[in-house]
Amino acid sequence: MKWKLIVWLFFCCGSAGWANAESSELEAAVWLATLGEYQRALEIFEALLQEEPDNPSLNYYAAVSHYFLDDLDEARSLLQKAVDEEPRFPQAYYWYGRVLAENAEQAKAAETTALGLKHFPKNEKLLKLASRLQLQTDQQTEAPSDPE
């Protein structure tokens, strides 16, 4: 409970390090998402996207919020945009691959993860996702076929 009070005081009282309202709005939205307040965070991310629709970070944050609100189609679209806008964004590749896999788009998920690993060959999350996708592919190819 103490940490919630500290977070509340930090956001309500402001911070000398915040140079403008947009920066403080972004940081507040990120905190809200971190606290699991995805709908409230998403409202802020979407308002900020009105000003900067091609901002890869904003598209990423909005996408992850959509993911946790069970809107995989919108998460997929925004993550595609984020990796297109900024190819050197490992978190976007990871989440895009994850969303694709959960949307039963295994081949596209593997392709996206491989592209992310091309840029970030030592990224642990991408490596784990690639392993999981390969394991799923191997299990599907080894599954016995139905006898006729």
Side-chain angles (χ1 to χ4, degrees):
M1 198 63 156
K2 258 186 178 176
W3 65 272
K4 287 184 180 181
L5 177 60
I6 292 168
V7 169
W8 181 83
L9 287 171
F10 183 73
F11 286 112
C12 290
C13 299
S15 167
W18 289 348
N20 58 47
E22 190 173 290
S23 174
S24 65
E25 287 176 346
L26 176 59
E27 290 187 31
V30 170
W31 267 105
L32 286 168
T34 302
L35 296 172
E37 296 287 336
Y38 302 112
Q39 186 60 49
R40 290 177 56 203
L42 183 58
E43 291 168 9
I44 297 170
F45 293 137
E46 288 180 340
L48 293 171
L49 277 167
Q50 294 295 317
E51 300 293 320
E52 293 183 73
D54 296 326
N55 182 313
S57 294
L58 291 175
N59 280 298
Y60 165 77
Y61 288 133
V64 174
S65 295
H66 277 287
Y67 172 85
F68 283 110
L69 292 169
D70 295 323
D71 185 358
L72 294 182
D73 290 336
E74 189 62 21
R76 182 190 190 285
S77 174
L78 291 169
L79 287 163
Q80 171 71 57
K81 191 171 184 180
V83 297
D84 287 348
E85 292 164 351
E86 178 51 67
R88 299 200 45 85
F89 195 167
Q91 299 91 335
Y93 282 105
Y94 167 77
W95 279 98
Y96 188 32
R98 185 172 167 173
V99 167
L100 290 166
E102 290 186 30
N103 245 359
E105 297 179 65
Q106 303 310 95
K108 179 78 172 161
E111 178 185 318
T112 298
T113 305
L115 185 57
L117 283 168
K118 180 180 173 188
H119 295 294
F120 306 96
K122 295 182 181 182
N123 184 283
E124 288 186 34
K125 283 190 168 190
L126 286 170
L127 288 167
K128 286 180 184 177
L129 180 59
S131 293
R132 192 176 88 215
L133 291 169
Q134 185 61 51
L135 181 63
Q136 289 172 347
T137 300
D138 292 348
Q139 289 173 344
Q140 288 172 353
T141 56
E142 293 175 4
S145 58
D146 290 337
E148 291 185 31

